[in-house]
């Protein structure tokens, strides 16, 4: 069992989630149960799955949750793009969040590779 708070990728994912919550505060009210909710859920799923995976006994289980976190990062990436293209999220906010998300995806990919190597 690992302490998820010791993983930099979890910390970055948590900060990303906080930034998404801040950015979506100004979204239109009619999107509260649409894009606002979907983007927040996808963002929070990244560190949530990392944390849950750390509580598992085997590296195979940990890897499975890291894969789910990676999938959530891809989902969040699409929602950011959609919000930008619908003019709900300004370009500068999109760019900041997107750059951070790409770095999180790189970190997740590296951790997934490392976990696979250790069996």
């Amino acid at each position: 069992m690992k302490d998820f708070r010791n993983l930099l990728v979890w910390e970055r994912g948590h900060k990303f989630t906080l930034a998404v919550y801040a950015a979506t505060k100004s979204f239109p009210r009619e999107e509260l149960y649409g894009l606002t909710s979907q983007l927040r859920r996808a963002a929070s799923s990244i560190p949530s799955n990392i944390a849950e995976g750390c509580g598992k006994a085997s590296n195979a289980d940990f890897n499975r949750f890291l894969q789910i976190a990676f999938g959530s990062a891809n989902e969040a990436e699409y929602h950011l793009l959609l919000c930008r293209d619908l003019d709900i999220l300004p370009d500068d906010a999109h760019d900041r969040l997107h750059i951070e998300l790409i770095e999180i995806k790189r970190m997740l990919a590296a951790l997934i590779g490392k976990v696979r190597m250790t069996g």
Side-chain angles (χ1 to χ4, degrees), residues 56-74:
K56 300 300 178 181
S58 73
N59 277 347
D61 285 337
F62 183 36
N63 183 59
R64 185 168 54 89
F65 281 93
L66 292 175
Q67 292 286 344
I68 294 168
F70 196 88
S72 295
N74 283 327

Side-chain angles (χ1 to χ4, degrees), residues 16 19-20 22-24 26-27 39 73-103:
F16 173 76
V20 164
T24 57
S26 62
F27 278 20
L39 179 54
N74 283 327
E75 183 181 356
E77 186 174 8
Y78 169 69
H79 288 312
L80 287 174
L81 177 65
L82 181 59
C83 290
R84 185 201 64 195
D85 290 351
L86 291 172
D87 293 323
I88 297 172
L89 185 65
D91 286 345
D92 61 331
H94 168 270
D95 294 347
R96 266 192 324 274
L97 290 168
H98 185 250
I99 288 167
E100 181 60 20
L101 187 54
I102 294 303
E103 183 58 29

